[in-house]
Amino acid sequence: VNGPVVTISNGLDLANLPLPAKKRDIAVLIAGYKEPNFAESLFNLLNSIGIKSICLTRQLPRPEYLSLVARSSVTVFLPNRIQGEGFYLPAIEGMALGSFVVCPDCVGNRGFCLNEVNCLQPTYDLGSIVASCQDALIRISNGSAVSILSAAFHQVHQHSIEEERRLFLRVLSALLRSKSE
């Protein structure tokens, strides 16, 4: 590359998301489209220890999917384990919808998933993810999840479509200034 390289994080259009549910009637939602077999195993394990969960292994219409995330106390996002991900939008959408996010590292979430700050990032194995679900539910029940949920909400606004636009316009403005000099 000859010249500066500028990266701008993807923006999330918050206006296209439903409002977080006032009453969260789903304890754990497993978003397992990309890892359906793993998601089913997690679902069976959680239910066997008394944690009621819903498992998604096929895509739903977007409004229906987002509504489920908005109603979930905890959402486990299962990105592709083998290939990794680019910007992993589902996890930041979960943060925007006020769900406690549990999401293993997938490279594409490193810019906004901060373990123990705004989510939990267990290793990608059943035991670690179950333990993170239990931990998240305990934090929610005793009120200690507030700091993580608040940090998640703050992180979402750093990745808003408005912030993406602001940064893009700043780069364009700098380019125009450099051309006129």
Side-chain angles (χ1 to χ4, degrees), residues 34-38 78-86 88 104-108 110 124:
K34 295 184 177 185
E35 294 289 340
N37 294 333
F38 188 92
L78 298 175
N80 188 306
R81 282 187 287 181
I82 305 303
Q83 295 175 325
E85 300 282 351
Y88 190 62
D105 175 61
C106 66
V107 180
R110 291 179 183 169
Y124 216 131

Coordinates of all heavy atoms in Angstrom, one line a residue, residues 34-38 78-86 88 104-108 110 124:
K34 N -24.8 -21.3 12.6 CA -23.6 -21.7 11.9 C -23.0 -23.0 12.5 O -22.0 -23.5 12.0 CB -22.6 -20.5 12.0 CG -23.1 -19.4 11.1 CD -22.1 -18.3 11.1 CE -22.7 -17.2 10.2 NZ -21.7 -16.1 10.0
E35 N -23.4 -23.3 13.7 CA -22.9 -24.5 14.4 C -24.1 -25.3 14.9 O -24.3 -25.5 16.1 CB -22.0 -24.2 15.5 CG -20.7 -23.5 15.1 CD -19.7 -24.4 14.4 OE1 -19.9 -25.7 14.6 OE2 -18.9 -23.9 13.6
P36 N -25.0 -25.8 14.1 CA -26.3 -26.5 14.5 C -26.1 -27.7 15.4 O -26.8 -27.8 16.4 CB -27.0 -26.8 13.2 CG -26.0 -26.8 12.2 CD -24.9 -25.8 12.6
N37 N -25.1 -28.5 15.1 CA -24.9 -29.7 16.0 C -24.4 -29.3 17.4 O -24.9 -29.9 18.4 CB -23.9 -30.7 15.3 CG -24.5 -31.3 14.0 OD1 -25.7 -31.4 13.9 ND2 -23.6 -31.6 13.1
F38 N -23.5 -28.4 17.4 CA -23.0 -27.9 18.7 C -24.1 -27.2 19.5 O -24.3 -27.4 20.7 CB -21.8 -26.9 18.5 CG -21.1 -26.5 19.7 CD1 -20.0 -27.2 20.2 CD2 -21.6 -25.4 20.5 CE1 -19.4 -26.8 21.3 CE2 -20.9 -25.0 21.6 CZ -19.8 -25.7 22.1
L78 N -23.1 -18.5 18.5 CA -22.2 -19.5 18.1 C -21.7 -19.2 16.7 O -22.2 -19.7 15.8 CB -22.8 -20.9 18.2 CG -23.2 -21.3 19.6 CD1 -24.0 -22.6 19.6 CD2 -22.1 -21.4 20.6
P79 N -20.6 -18.4 16.6 CA -20.0 -18.1 15.3 C -19.4 -19.4 14.7 O -19.2 -20.4 15.4 CB -19.0 -17.0 15.6 CG -18.6 -17.2 17.0 CD -19.8 -17.8 17.7
N80 N -19.0 -19.3 13.5 CA -18.3 -20.4 12.8 C -17.0 -20.7 13.5 O -16.1 -19.8 13.6 CB -18.1 -20.1 11.3 CG -17.6 -21.2 10.5 OD1 -16.6 -21.8 10.9 ND2 -18.3 -21.5 9.5
R81 N -16.8 -21.9 14.0 CA -15.6 -22.3 14.8 C -14.4 -22.5 13.9 O -13.3 -22.1 14.3 CB -15.8 -23.6 15.5 CG -16.6 -23.5 16.8 CD -16.5 -24.8 17.5 NE -17.4 -25.8 16.8 CZ -17.6 -27.0 17.2 NH1 -17.0 -27.4 18.3 NH2 -18.4 -27.8 16.5
I82 N -14.6 -23.0 12.7 CA -13.4 -23.3 11.8 C -12.9 -22.1 11.0 O -11.8 -21.8 11.0 CB -13.8 -24.5 10.8 CG1 -14.4 -25.7 11.6 CG2 -12.7 -24.8 9.9 CD1 -13.5 -26.3 12.6
Q83 N -13.8 -21.4 10.4 CA -13.4 -20.3 9.5 C -13.3 -19.0 10.2 O -12.7 -18.1 9.7 CB -14.5 -20.2 8.4 CG -14.5 -21.4 7.5 CD -15.6 -21.2 6.5 OE1 -16.7 -20.7 6.7 NE2 -15.4 -21.8 5.3
G84 N -13.8 -18.9 11.4 CA -13.9 -17.6 12.0 C -14.9 -16.7 11.4 O -15.7 -17.2 10.5
E85 N -14.9 -15.4 11.7 CA -15.9 -14.5 11.1 C -15.2 -13.2 10.8 O -14.2 -12.8 11.4 CB -17.0 -14.2 12.2 CG -17.8 -15.5 12.6 CD -18.9 -15.9 11.6 OE1 -19.1 -15.2 10.6 OE2 -19.4 -17.0 11.8
G86 N -15.9 -12.4 10.0 CA -15.5 -11.0 9.8 C -16.2 -10.3 10.9 O -16.3 -10.8 12.0
Y88 N -18.6 -9.6 13.3 CA -19.7 -10.6 13.8 C -20.9 -9.8 14.3 O -21.0 -9.6 15.5 CB -19.1 -11.6 14.8 CG -20.1 -12.7 15.1 CD1 -20.5 -13.5 14.1 CD2 -20.6 -12.9 16.3 CE1 -21.4 -14.6 14.3 CE2 -21.5 -13.9 16.6 CZ -21.9 -14.7 15.6 OH -22.8 -15.7 15.9
P104 N -18.1 -16.9 22.1 CA -16.7 -17.2 22.0 C -16.0 -16.3 21.0 O -16.6 -15.7 20.1 CB -16.7 -18.7 21.5 CG -18.0 -19.2 21.8 CD -18.9 -18.1 21.8
D105 N -14.7 -16.2 21.1 CA -13.9 -15.5 20.2 C -14.0 -16.0 18.8 O -14.0 -17.3 18.6 CB -12.4 -15.5 20.6 CG -11.5 -14.8 19.6 OD1 -11.7 -13.6 19.4 OD2 -10.6 -15.5 19.0
C106 N -14.1 -15.1 17.8 CA -14.2 -15.6 16.4 C -13.4 -14.7 15.5 O -13.7 -14.6 14.3 CB -15.7 -15.7 15.9 SG -16.5 -14.1 15.9
V107 N -12.5 -13.9 16.0 CA -11.7 -12.9 15.4 C -12.5 -11.7 15.1 O -12.1 -10.6 15.5 CB -10.9 -13.4 14.1 CG1 -10.1 -12.4 13.5 CG2 -10.1 -14.7 14.5
G108 N -13.6 -11.8 14.4 CA -14.4 -10.7 13.9 C -15.2 -10.0 15.0 O -16.0 -9.1 14.8
R110 N -13.5 -9.3 18.1 CA -12.5 -8.8 19.0 C -12.5 -7.3 19.2 O -12.0 -6.8 20.2 CB -11.1 -9.2 18.5 CG -10.8 -10.7 18.6 CD -9.5 -11.1 18.1 NE -9.3 -12.6 18.2 CZ -8.4 -13.2 17.7 NH1 -7.4 -12.6 17.0 NH2 -8.3 -14.5 17.8
Y124 N -14.5 -22.2 23.2 CA -15.5 -22.8 22.4 C -15.7 -24.3 22.7 O -15.4 -25.2 21.9 CB -15.2 -22.6 20.9 CG -16.4 -22.4 20.0 CD1 -16.4 -21.4 19.1 CD2 -17.5 -23.2 20.1 CE1 -17.5 -21.1 18.3 CE2 -18.6 -23.0 19.3 CZ -18.6 -22.0 18.4 OH -19.7 -21.7 17.6

